[in-house]
Amino acid sequence: MVDSDADAADGDEIADERATAPTREEPAQATENGITASYYEADGERVLAFEANGATAAIAQNVEGYAMLKVRPAPAGDELERYYGFDMALDHAAELLGVGVHDLPIPEPAADMGM
């Protein structure tokens, strides 16, 4: 038998997390080494977008976090490649920006992206 009170509490926690998730209008941001990273959830995706010296790159994953990461030249751009691992997606994003992968700032809510 399922404890409906516990299930309701779990559902409330999930709803609270989604309600407080960064949105496109109010993204979580980090800036280091002349690179700005913005993390937000929109249109069923978690998006980590980077900008440096006029260049852009983005990594996207479904909000459930169970899909491969898609690397794009911009948040709304066409998919260039898919990766299972966050480190590989970050490496590709850094290449698109012309920076070192260790120079990329990662906002806290994006730290768990990848499979």
Side-chain angles (χ1 to χ4, degrees):
M1 178 153 220
V2 176
D3 182 351
S4 60
D5 289 338
D7 288 344
D10 289 343
D12 289 344
E13 287 177 19
I14 292 169
D16 288 344
E17 286 176 18
R18 297 212 186 235
T20 59
T23 64
R24 186 174 297 172
E25 293 78 30
E26 293 187 32
Q29 292 189 319
T31 301
E32 291 179 23
N33 307 310
I35 305 165
T36 299
S38 300
Y39 170 82
Y40 58 88
E41 293 182 11
D43 304 323
E45 289 188 319
R46 301 174 68 193
V47 178
L48 176 57
F50 297 99
E51 184 176 346
N53 302 320
T56 61
I59 299 171
Q61 181 178 38
N62 68 13
V63 292
E64 290 83 18
Y66 296 114
M68 294 177 75
L69 298 163
K70 298 173 242 176
V71 176
R72 302 174 179 153
D78 291 334
E79 175 184 321
L80 299 172
E81 191 70 55
R82 288 186 183 207
Y83 299 97
Y84 285 109
F86 192 37
D87 56 342
M88 294 299 294
L90 287 171
D91 187 58
H92 191 163
E95 183 180 312
L96 291 171
L97 296 170
V99 301
V101 69
H102 297 292
D103 293 330
L104 296 174
I106 309 298
E108 180 63 32
D112 67 343
M113 292 180 78
M115 296 184 73

